[in-house]
Amino acid sequence: MGRKTLIIGGVAGGATTAARLRRRDEHRQIIMFERGSYISYANCGLPYYIGGEIRDRNALLLQTPQAMKQKFNIDVRVCSEVTSIDPEKKKVTVRNLNTDEIYEESYDDLVIATGSSPVKPPVPGIDGRNIFTLWTVPDTDAMKQYLEIHRPKTAAVIGGGFIGLEMAENLHRAGLKVSLIEMQNQVMPPFDPDMANLIHETLRGNQVDLILGDGVKEFCQEKDSVIIRLNSGTQVEADMVVLSIGVRPNSELAEKAGIRLNERRGIAVNDYLETSVPDIYAVGDVIGVDHYVTGEKTMIPLAGPANKQARILADNLCGDRKKYKGSMGTSVVKIFDLHAAGVGLNEKQLKAMGKRKGKEYFTALIDQKSHAGYYPGATPLTLKMMFEPDGTILGGQIVGKDGVDKRIDTLATAMRLGGTIYDLEELELAYAPPFSSAKDPVNMLGFVAENILRGMATFIEWDEMDALMADHTRKDDVVVLDVTEEVERKAYAIPGSYHIPLGQLRERMDELDKNKLIIPYCAIGVRSYNAARILMQNGFQRVRTLSGGTAFYRSMHDGE
């Protein structure tokens, strides 16, 4: 018999470690303990089962204890809670939750993959019978049963992160009237407010009652419904509530064993996924990781990193010395017909780090089509990228209805391989009219970024322009220049703008004052960039193009 490895926890981290470990070492004794009844399930798919998009519950169960035993000869013990770890004796204490039997198990190597749990703050009434979290298969069964038996008509989702947005969509799909309540002034914390606004627009367009900047004060049961009292004094009534406030690492067991935690109570591990205690390792949501861009410690509880960590750890347990080189937080979410994705740092984080825009970092924000505009079905894509003066890519966000995932994956790949904005320009990407354009939106990000760094283009954001126009002391120094065609201007024009179509600009530029700040705009920014180049080469020293054009500007003023 070879070495004996105990694994605490299943799902992405634990189950993947076990399977890879067996493929590497046929003779090792592997025992996996899982507190719940399920060792490997698709927790990312749970909201779609609630909404009926995934109809077969069994499709969510990726591995069973029986299959793990037959395929991998792994001793899987479900309903078994590890209650303590004794690093000196190299033993764990286990309680069988079905029989209450308590026993010890020795180990040569111990892997902690205890994951994370939903945050439930001490809000009065939060344990009400029709208040749910969605994290495990039993959570899903309880919610599905409630929907089928009680037939609720209204639901409130608390929290606007990934699961909150997915639950809002899927409860809507199940026929409920949905409210989404978020304490911050935007949904999706990994996104900047401007890009999150595009998500807000879609939520409201699908009749989700979106309440931002307001937290829950208390939950009050009233017959079969819940009265949600908010800090502002607003009250929301719902037949059921779903909590999606965030997650916390399940690190209590490690802490009791003297294993070092980080500031956010995640288990601290080194590059080899070793904890502070010899022969004890950790993977998945429970650990702190290095942020790939900054190198700083952070928590990124995502399935992709957990699976990669598990594979590396299994190899290291077999004698390799592989490093986990950090996480970038690459992610994507579906909100009705909209897709939103991000990678790396956002602008909020850069500002919080004390970075100055236009000095230590720059942003490129563009609107493109998902494929060639002349081919049917092309839809808008909004892309935002942050980068340093040397061209290093810091992060990006993309929102649209088609092609979002492949563009964020391209950006993430370039970042992982040390690529710069100049590499984005040179990428040779697949093109045919149904799929993309000859200049892919990712190429365009590179082109625009280079223009910014070379001083060929200077942009102004929608809120900066609004602030200038609202400042009576500076308003007269600004000309907002509409370079669209007359028919477009009849459909929409920014208030107070001056109109000269692009085709007439060269012969009419004497209508403009060279001493003033000129802000050209068009629908998506292409014509306004051309206008800016004309003006800049004809003696206009102060020209700043409106980022994203009116397509983006109008979304930022949705509901006004």
Side-chain angles (χ1 to χ4, degrees):
M1 184 65 71
R3 288 180 71 84
K4 182 178 180 181
T5 300
L6 305 185
I7 300 173
I8 307 173
V11 198
T16 300
T17 300
R20 175 68 174 177
L21 194 53
R22 174 58 73 226
R23 285 191 284 267
R24 286 292 308 266
D25 187 345
E26 178 63 21
H27 304 291
R28 184 180 296 252
Q29 184 181 3
I30 305 171
I31 305 174
M32 183 191 302
F33 301 98
E34 170 56 50
R35 184 167 53 184
S37 303
Y38 303 90
I39 57 159
S40 184
Y41 57 91
N43 53 354
C44 297
L46 300 181
Y48 301 99
Y49 174 62
I50 295 295
E53 188 79 16
I54 297 172
R55 296 186 179 279
D56 183 4
R57 178 183 180 277
N58 290 328
L60 299 169
L61 307 178
L62 306 179
Q63 287 285 1
T64 64
Q66 296 77 18
M68 288 290 280
K69 179 65 177 176
Q70 291 170 359
K71 294 178 182 178
F72 300 102
N73 190 27
I74 292 168
D75 181 358
V76 177
R77 303 178 189 178
V78 295
C79 299
S80 298
E81 181 179 14
V82 175
T83 57
S84 66
I85 301 168
D86 188 335
E88 290 188 6
K89 295 181 180 179
K90 299 189 76 171
K91 289 182 178 181
V92 300
T93 302
V94 186
R95 183 163 70 98
N96 184 316
L97 298 178
N98 290 329
T99 65
D100 271 342
E101 174 196 2
I102 296 175
Y103 63 95
E104 289 185 337
E105 197 73 56
S106 63
Y107 66 84
D108 294 313
D109 305 302
L110 178 67
V111 177
I112 302 175
T114 45
S116 57
S117 297
V119 171
K120 288 185 73 173
V123 175
I126 199 167
D127 294 318
R129 65 182 182 277
N130 43 2
I131 299 177
F132 302 88
T133 57
L134 186 70
W135 199 245
T136 65
V137 174
D139 290 343
T140 311
D141 292 339
M143 192 181 299
K144 193 77 168 178
Q145 184 180 46
Y146 186 85
L147 286 165
E148 291 172 353
I149 293 175
H150 296 278
R151 302 288 180 183
K153 293 182 172 57
T154 59
V157 177
I158 314 299
F162 289 97
I163 295 175
L165 292 178
E166 290 167 349
M167 283 308 306
E169 176 187 353
N170 281 282
L171 289 169
H172 181 277
R173 179 184 174 87
L176 283 73
K177 171 64 179 169
V178 179
S179 299
L180 179 61
I181 301 166
E182 168 56 55
M183 187 184 298
Q184 305 300 318
N185 62 0
Q186 65 166 88
V187 300
M188 286 298 287
F191 281 66
D192 288 317
D194 50 4
M195 299 296 280
N197 261 331
L198 300 173
I199 304 173
H200 300 165
E201 189 177 26
T202 289
L203 289 167
R204 293 183 178 115
N206 283 277
Q207 288 76 54
V208 173
D209 181 17
L210 183 60
I211 301 171
L212 298 172
D214 210 349
V216 178
K217 184 177 181 180
E218 63 178 335
F219 298 99
C220 300
Q221 287 292 150
E222 188 170 296
K223 295 183 180 178
D224 293 330
S225 63
V226 181
I227 303 296
I228 307 159
R229 293 196 171 97
L230 305 182
N231 291 329
S232 66
T234 300
Q235 291 193 171
V236 177
E237 184 173 356
D239 297 331
M240 65 180 292
V241 174
V242 179
L243 302 174
S244 179
I245 302 170
V247 297
R248 57 169 181 78
N250 295 326
S251 56
E252 297 84 0
L253 184 65
E255 184 180 32
K256 285 195 300 181
I259 296 169
R260 187 166 62 85
L261 306 185
N262 64 20
E263 292 179 356
R264 297 175 66 179
R265 300 193 57 76
I267 296 176
V269 296
N270 63 13
D271 291 346
Y272 305 101
L273 301 164
E274 299 167 328
T275 71
S276 60
V277 174
D279 301 315
I280 300 182
Y281 308 81
V283 292
D285 288 7
V286 74
I287 71 169
V289 296
D290 291 339
H291 196 290
Y292 188 79
V293 179
T294 66
E296 296 178 357
K297 298 295 181 182
T298 187
M299 302 289 291
I300 299 181
L302 294 171
N307 277 282
K308 294 172 183 65
Q309 293 157 14
R311 180 183 174 89
I312 289 169
L313 175 55
D315 287 349
N316 288 346
L317 287 169
C318 293
D320 292 356
R321 291 296 282 171
K322 291 183 174 180
K323 292 183 177 183
Y324 182 69
K325 298 177 183 177
S327 302
M328 293 192 295
T330 312
S331 55
V332 64
V333 65
K334 174 182 176 294
I335 312 107
F336 296 97
D337 61 348
L338 195 72
H339 304 157
V343 63
L345 298 176
N346 58 40
E347 194 172 2
K348 287 185 302 185
Q349 290 169 311
L350 289 167
K351 289 177 178 177
M353 292 162 62
K355 303 290 186 182
R356 295 168 297 167
K357 185 174 181 178
K359 297 289 185 181
E360 291 151 302
Y361 79 93
F362 296 86
T363 65
L365 191 150
I366 61 174
D367 270 278
Q368 295 289 295
K369 295 290 187 182
S370 56
H371 59 248
Y374 57 81
Y375 187 87
T379 55
L381 278 175
T382 302
L383 303 92
K384 180 177 183 179
M385 179 176 67
M386 279 61 65
F387 54 99
E388 293 182 327
D390 66 356
T392 299
I393 304 166
L394 298 171
Q397 297 148 55
I398 306 176
V399 178
K401 296 183 178 181
D402 184 37
V404 168
D405 54 339
K406 72 175 181 178
R407 271 65 187 224
I408 206 70
D409 287 345
T410 304
L411 198 58
T413 302
M415 291 174 64
R416 196 85 195 188
L417 297 178
T420 67
I421 61 110
Y422 304 106
D423 295 300
L424 298 186
E425 295 181 287
E426 296 176 8
L427 287 177
E428 188 175 337
L429 303 171
Y431 162 60
F435 303 102
S436 184
S437 299
K439 293 182 289 188
D440 188 87
V442 173
N443 296 136
M444 292 300 298
L445 269 178
F447 297 151
V448 172
E450 188 206 4
N451 285 341
I452 291 170
L453 292 181
R454 293 184 62 183
M456 292 180 63
T458 304
F459 290 90
I460 188 168
E461 305 304 324
W462 67 275
D463 52 346
E464 293 179 278
M465 187 181 77
D466 279 356
L468 281 176
M469 298 305 289
D471 186 343
H472 296 295
T473 64
R474 303 172 68 187
K475 183 177 180 180
D476 291 340
D477 186 45
V478 180
V479 175
V480 178
L481 179 63
D482 181 349
V483 297
T484 65
E485 298 303 314
E486 185 65 41
V487 64
E488 295 174 89
R489 186 167 175 83
K490 287 180 179 178
Y492 180 79
I494 293 176
S497 59
Y498 189 78
H499 185 223
I500 303 178
L502 178 62
Q504 302 175 24
L505 183 57
R506 287 181 176 87
E507 53 265 28
R508 292 180 56 189
M509 69 175 68
D510 58 351
E511 297 174 24
L512 302 172
D513 186 340
K514 290 184 177 181
N515 295 313
K516 291 187 177 184
L517 171 63
I518 311 296
I519 304 176
Y521 77 82
C522 62
I524 63 171
V526 176
R527 286 172 291 174
S528 52
Y529 168 62
N530 288 328
R533 292 303 303 153
I534 292 170
L535 293 170
M536 291 168 72
Q537 294 179 82
N538 280 277
F540 288 82
Q541 302 295 320
R542 302 171 63 204
V543 182
R544 297 179 69 186
T545 305
L546 177 63
S547 282
T550 55
F552 192 69
Y553 184 86
R554 292 178 74 176
S555 291
M556 298 305 100
H557 294 80
D558 176 47
E560 292 182 5

